Amino acid sequence: MKRRTLITSATASGLLLTLGACASAPKGNDIVDIAAGNPDFSTLVAAVQAAGLVDTLKGDGPFTVFAPTNAAFDALPAGTVETLLMPENVDQLRSILTYHVLPGSYVAGDVLGQVVDVATVNGATVRVDGTGGKYGAAVRVNDANVISADIMASNGVIHVIDKVLIP
């Protein structure tokens, strides 16, 4: 009986991820527009602006963005965000932010059941683990958990993560 429930739960989770992937954002709701419209991404948006990446992330793409929340930035050591936002640290900030971006559009269903190393825009790779968690479908990127997947934008997809990825 427990096995049947687990299989049903996993199937339902996969179906929900697939349905979420099919939803498309209205034209003009690009990655930056969506992030800027969500107060949980205000630190990310400020960092993208400081790094001069707004025009890039508003471009045609497609892109996959692993978007850390404000809480993820707050968990960094004290003063880290402020230091990264200084003009003299723009190259380091740009490197960190582009480590959160994949060329191409990938939904969670693309990685479920597998572990893959994927090249980021900054040239390094991230490990995407879609083998699941204790309670069903789950995706991790390096040591960050995807807490909300498949937010569709006109130029790609956003996956919300609970940690800032450091290359």
Side-chain angles (χ1 to χ4, degrees):
M1 186 67 164
K2 286 184 181 179
R3 187 170 147 210
R4 183 178 306 148
T5 303
L6 180 59
I7 291 170
T8 302
S9 175
T11 302
S13 295
L15 179 60
L16 287 174
L17 288 171
T18 302
L19 290 174
C22 294
S24 61
K27 193 76 171 152
N29 279 343
D30 59 49
I31 289 166
V32 175
D33 293 337
I34 291 170
N38 185 330
D40 289 334
F41 295 129
S42 61
T43 304
L44 176 62
V45 171
V48 167
Q49 290 169 339
L53 293 172
V54 171
D55 289 340
T56 300
L57 292 175
K58 287 180 92 45
D60 291 340
F63 303 108
T64 298
V65 175
F66 299 113
T69 62
N70 291 346
F73 281 102
D74 292 344
L76 292 171
T80 301
V81 173
E82 293 77 11
T83 300
L84 287 171
L85 292 176
M86 293 178 172
E88 61 268 22
N89 297 320
V90 70
D91 290 336
Q92 183 181 10
L93 178 61
R94 195 173 289 135
S95 175
I96 290 170
L97 292 174
T98 57
Y99 188 60
H100 290 77
V101 181
L102 305 179
S105 184
Y106 303 97
V107 295
D110 293 338
V111 296
L112 287 181
Q114 55 186 316
V115 177
V116 293
D117 291 330
V118 185
T120 65
V121 170
N122 91 346
T125 60
V126 291
R127 173 152 289 193
V128 180
D129 182 348
T131 58
K134 184 175 179 181
Y135 301 106
V139 177
R140 292 179 55 81
V141 182
N142 290 351
D143 62 344
N145 295 302
V146 174
I147 56 177
S148 181
D150 300 341
I151 301 169
M152 302 308 290
S154 62
N155 63 343
V157 62
I158 301 169
H159 303 291
V160 182
I161 57 174
D162 65 354
K163 287 187 176 182
V164 176
L165 305 173
I166 305 294

